[in-house]
Structure formats: structure tokens, C-alpha cells
């Protein structure tokens, strides 16, 4: 698998080699301008490499949210490059990359052997928010 589905999509299947998070990152960087307009009601926010959360997210979207954990460990550090390896994904060979495009947060991994995946943290509404639809 060369990482491409032939239709411009990024294929993330379990058979990928260890360098596949990097290939997925490259594809998303190339296709970002095409992908972003397809996401309705996208909200832009900022994340710094080296962080483990989104602090505010702009207009109080989060109060320290988007912590990523598995049953093997966490929180994951937001990167902009592929990690060398991490046991937080259940395998000594596991690698991951996080990436942010305008309003889109991406987490890609390979060699994952986990039982659970969790995204947690506080929402910025502090109990005063509402939902519709």
C-alpha cells in the first residue's frame, strides 16, 4: 500500500509499515487545501507542538481539553513530526504523529495494540452551554 486510495484520500489501515504516519502527514499537507472546504462549520483553533492539550481553543471552546490517552498510557504529546516510538500505543514499534490544519486536528499512528482510546478534558462552556439539532 503506497498510502493512497487512488481517489485522493489518505488510507490508514492496520497493514501500514512503521513510516506510514509520516506518509499520511505528507498527504494531508498536500491535500489540506482540498480537504478543509469539505468540512462544514469548521472552527479554527491553535495548538502548540509539545503540548498535551488545547488550552482555550478560541472563544472558550475548551478549558484544557483534547487530552489523548489509551489504556497503555498518556496523555500524548502533540508533535509535528513522527515520534521515534512509544509504548503508550501498546507496542515498542508504535509511532504516531499529530498535525493541525486550520480547524482540523489529526492523530495518525501505526502498530497500535490497544484496548481503549480516549479524548478527554474540559469544555469551555463551564456548564452554561447548549446543544441544538
Amino acid at each position: 500500500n503506497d498510502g493512497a486510495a487512488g481517489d485522493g484520500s489518505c488510507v490508514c489501515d492496520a497493514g501500514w509499515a512503521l513510516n506510514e504516519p509520516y506518509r499520511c502527514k505528507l498527504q494531508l499537507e498536500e491535500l489540506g487545501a482540498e480537504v478543509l472546504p469539505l468540512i462544514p462549520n469548521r472552527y479554527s483553533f491553535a495548538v502548540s507542538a509539545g503540548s498535551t492539550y488545547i488550552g482555550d481553543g478560541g472563544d472558550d471552546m475548551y478549558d484544557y481539553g483534547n487530552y489523548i490517552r489509551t489504556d497503555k498510557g498518556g496523555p500524548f504529546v502533540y508533535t509535528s513530526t513522527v515520534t521515534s516510538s512509544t509504548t503508550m500505543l501498546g507496542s515498542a514499534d508504535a509511532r504516531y504523529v499529530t498535525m493541525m490544519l486550520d480547524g482540523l486536528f489529526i492523530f495518525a499512528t501505526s502498530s497500535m495494540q490497544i484496548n481503549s482510546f480516549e479524548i478527554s478534558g474540559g469544555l469551555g462552556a463551564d456548564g452554561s452551554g447548549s446543544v441544538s439539532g
Side-chain angles (χ1 to χ4, degrees):
N1 184 347
D2 66 359
D7 60 1
S9 63
C10 180
V11 178
C12 298
D13 61 48
W16 275 21
L18 294 178
N19 66 344
E20 294 308 331
Y22 178 72
R23 290 170 117 177
C24 193
K25 178 183 184 300
L26 290 177
Q27 285 183 336
L28 286 166
E29 287 172 344
E30 291 175 13
L31 297 172
E34 295 174 38
V35 171
L36 292 177
L38 302 175
I39 303 169
N41 303 315
R42 198 170 26 86
Y43 187 85
S44 296
F45 56 93
V47 175
S48 299
S51 179
T52 57
Y53 59 87
I54 297 172
D56 179 46
D59 291 334
D60 215 17
M61 178 173 74
Y62 287 113
D63 285 333
Y64 304 98
N66 210 56
Y67 288 95
I68 302 171
R69 294 180 173 87
T70 70
D71 58 306
K72 308 297 182 189
F76 285 82
V77 174
Y78 294 178
T79 64
S80 55
T81 59
V82 176
T83 61
S84 56
S85 66
T86 179
T87 57
M88 292 188 299
L89 291 166
S91 166
D93 294 329
R95 290 169 167 67
Y96 77 95
V97 64
T98 60
M99 179 178 165
M100 211 195 86
L101 300 174
D102 185 28
L104 180 62
F105 182 84
I106 294 112
F107 178 88
T109 184
S110 66
S111 302
M112 183 170 60
Q113 297 176 7
I114 61 170
N115 295 312
S116 66
F117 182 87
E118 174 184 288
I119 299 173
S120 63
L123 294 178
D126 299 322
S128 299
S130 64
V131 172
S132 63

